[in-house]
Structures are given as structure tokens and as C-alpha cells.
């Protein structure tokens, strides 16, 4: 199976709060799990990515948690800011094969 | 500056017309992709190319055509056979090469997009 299921579809968080977006995959052959951030009218841009040999990766306020046995991974945005308001896509891929994207989560951070 | 450029930013098409969307990259990437994004929707793959002079259909290729005559260029033609072409079109590239550190090979770099509207 090639699907990547992403939830929630939309998310509203207060400024300073934690935003959590979840993704689940089915194909155990995937070996690269990026998150992309997209602002309205712009192309997505890589935010942070992880490979399955580690369970967590942190870059600034952004953390990916990876659970290989459950085939799930999540994005945590700490101290969420209004500037983080965007659509976030998780994805899964392996070299030589097309990337599979989740359906996206629209995040709105209230000031 | 290295990057991906798409033109035009906005495009209007009359029904029955073919239009071509431009995508150019100077990242020396081998692979290029076209995606379609509808309002509130995810990314759907139209076509992709892993090497010059070769391309593969994605999930929604009907009504679209592409060419890959040069490494840096991957134009997309939206034909009159595409029944509902109004959407935001995104081009991307990546570099699944053997000489690049593995951590860098799978990241896709996106252009700014072209918004196509059928009148």
C-alpha cells in the first residue's frame, strides 16, 4: 500500500501552544519521511525530515517523532507562533520511487 | 541563486485551448516532477522524469503531456482533453544520484507554482 494518512485536516492552536500533526504509512520500504510547509500561493518547502534509524529529530521549535513499529510519525511545533500558520504536508519515499504525500493539515495559530 | 522557476505565475485559458507551463531548474537535479493542487487538497502527481528523455505517468496524467529534452527543463502542457484544468500547478526537482549524500537525495524542491484558470 502506498498511502500516507495525515491528521487532523485542520488545526487551531493558541500562540505559545504545541501543534501536533500525525501521519501513518503502510509500506515498510519507505526510508525517508519529510515534512513540508506551504504558505498560501507558494510552493511547499522542506521543513524537517527523518530517516527510520532514529526515533526523534529536533530542529529549533520543530520536532519529528518516529515510531517504526507503529508505522507512524508526527510533527510537533513547540511555542507555536502566528507565522507558523500554513499548510503542512507529511510525505514518505524511498530512493528511486515517487514520493507519497499526505493530504495536508491547515494550521492556524491564534495571536 | 540556485532554484526552480515556474512561469507564468498566473495563466488564463479558454476552453479548448492547449497551454504550456514552464519549469526550469539550475540545481543540476536529475529528477523533476509536476503536481496538481486543488483548493484545500494535497498534491497529486501528474508526471515525473528521473532522467533526460525519459518520463513516467503519475496518478492523474490524463489530459496532460510533458517533455524532458534538457536536464534543466520540464514543461507541462495542459491539453483540451483535461476536463477540469483549473488548479495550482507545482513543479519540483530532486537529485536521486549515487554521488550525493543519501540524506540529500530524496528532498524535493518546489517552484513557486502556476495558477491556471479556465475561462
Amino acid at each position: 500500500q502506498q498511502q500516507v494518512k495525515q491528521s487532523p485536516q485542520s488545526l487551531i492552536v493558541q500562540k505559545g501552544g504545541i501543534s501536533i500533526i500525525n501521519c501513518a504509512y503502510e509500506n515498510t520500504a519507505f526510508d525517508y519521511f519529510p515534512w513540508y510547509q506551504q504558505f498560501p500561493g507558494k510552493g511547499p518547502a522542506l521543513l524537517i525530515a527523518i530517516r527510520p534509524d532514529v526515533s526523534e529529530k529536533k530542529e529549533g521549535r520543530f520536532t519529528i517523532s518516529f515510531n517504526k513499529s507503529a508505522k507512524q510519525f508526527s510533527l510537533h511545533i513547540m511555542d507555536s507562533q502566528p507565522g507558523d500558520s500554513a499548510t503542512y504536508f507529511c510525505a514518505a519515499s524511498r530512493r528511486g520511487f515517487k514520493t507519497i504525500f499526505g493530504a495536508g493539515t491547515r494550521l492556524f495559530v491564534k495571536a | 541563486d540556485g532554484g526552480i522557476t515556474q512561469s507564468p505565475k498566473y495563466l488564463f485559458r479558454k476552453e479548448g485551448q492547449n497551454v504550456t507551463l514552464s519549469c526550469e531548474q539550475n540545481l543540476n537535479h536529475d529528477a523533476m516532477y509536476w503536481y496538481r493542487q486543488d483548493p484545500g487538497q494535497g498534491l497529486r502527481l501528474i508526471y515525473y522524469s528521473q532522467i533526460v528523455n525519459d518520463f513516467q505517468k503519475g496518478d492523474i496524467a490524463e489530459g496532460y503531456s510533458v517533455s524532458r529534452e534538457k536536464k534543466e527543463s520540464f514543461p507541462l502542457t495542459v491539453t483540451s482533453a483535461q476536463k477540469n484544468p483549473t488548479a495550482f500547478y507545482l513543479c519540483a526537482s530532486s537529485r536521486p544520484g549515487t554521488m550525493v549524500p543519501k540524506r540529500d537525495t530524496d528532498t524535493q524542491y518546489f517552484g513557486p507554482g502556476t495558477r491556471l484558470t479556465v475561462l
Side-chain angles (χ1 to χ4, degrees):
Chain A
Q1 288 288 348
Q2 297 283 24
Q3 283 188 339
V4 175
K5 296 182 180 179
Q6 183 172 347
S7 63
Q9 190 174 20
S10 61
L11 181 61
I12 300 174
V13 174
Q14 292 283 353
K15 179 182 176 181
I18 302 173
S19 304
I20 302 174
I21 305 171
N22 301 298
C23 283
Y25 64 99
E26 298 170 349
N27 188 341
T28 55
F30 290 137
D31 63 359
Y32 182 67
F33 301 89
W35 285 88
Y36 290 86
Q37 179 188 56
Q38 183 182 29
F39 293 104
K42 306 293 184 183
L46 178 69
L47 184 64
I48 187 172
I50 197 169
R51 295 201 182 268
D53 51 346
V54 296
S55 60
E56 186 176 281
K57 183 174 181 180
K58 183 177 181 179
E59 291 183 0
R61 297 184 294 109
F62 301 93
T63 299
I64 300 178
S65 296
F66 187 82
N67 187 329
K68 189 174 181 178
S69 60
K71 292 186 285 185
Q72 295 175 347
F73 58 110
S74 60
L75 175 68
H76 293 63
I77 305 175
M78 312 300 288
D79 187 27
S80 299
Q81 299 297 311
D84 297 330
S85 297
T87 298
Y88 293 82
F89 294 96
C90 64
S93 70
R94 65 185 177 109
R95 189 184 297 190
F97 292 83
K98 60 184 181 181
T99 298
I100 308 299
F101 287 88
T105 296
R106 298 183 72 177
L107 171 65
F108 180 68
V109 180
K110 296 170 64 175
Chain B
D1 287 336
I4 301 179
T5 58
Q6 290 185 243
S7 61
K9 186 174 177 65
Y10 300 96
L11 185 58
F12 298 90
R13 189 196 93 170
K14 294 181 180 179
E15 286 195 18
Q17 281 184 337
N18 292 355
V19 291
T20 297
L21 283 59
S22 170
C23 178
E24 303 278 333
Q25 54 99 357
N26 61 4
L27 300 167
N28 198 31
H29 284 174
D30 295 311
M32 298 186 74
Y33 313 81
W34 274 105
Y35 293 91
R36 170 179 172 144
Q37 187 175 32
D38 293 283
Q41 302 295 313
L43 305 173
R44 292 189 290 169
L45 183 65
I46 304 172
Y47 268 98
Y48 64 104
S49 167
Q50 294 188 325
I51 196 169
V52 174
N53 292 323
D54 185 51
F55 49 83
Q56 308 293 329
K57 291 183 179 180
D59 301 316
I60 56 166
E62 185 175 352
Y64 300 98
S65 66
V66 294
S67 63
R68 186 86 187 277
E69 297 176 0
K70 297 186 296 182
K71 186 175 184 177
E72 58 270 21
S73 178
F74 192 39
L76 173 74
T77 296
V78 184
T79 75
S80 57
Q82 170 49 238
K83 298 304 180 187
N84 185 22
T86 294
F88 189 50
Y89 290 87
L90 288 160
C91 179
S93 70
S94 68
R95 189 176 178 185
T98 57
M99 299 303 292
V100 177
K102 192 173 188 294
R103 66 179 183 277
D104 295 335
T105 60
D106 303 310
T107 300
Q108 292 196 16
Y109 296 85
F110 286 84
T114 292
R115 187 166 300 280
L116 173 63
T117 302
V118 174
L119 303 175

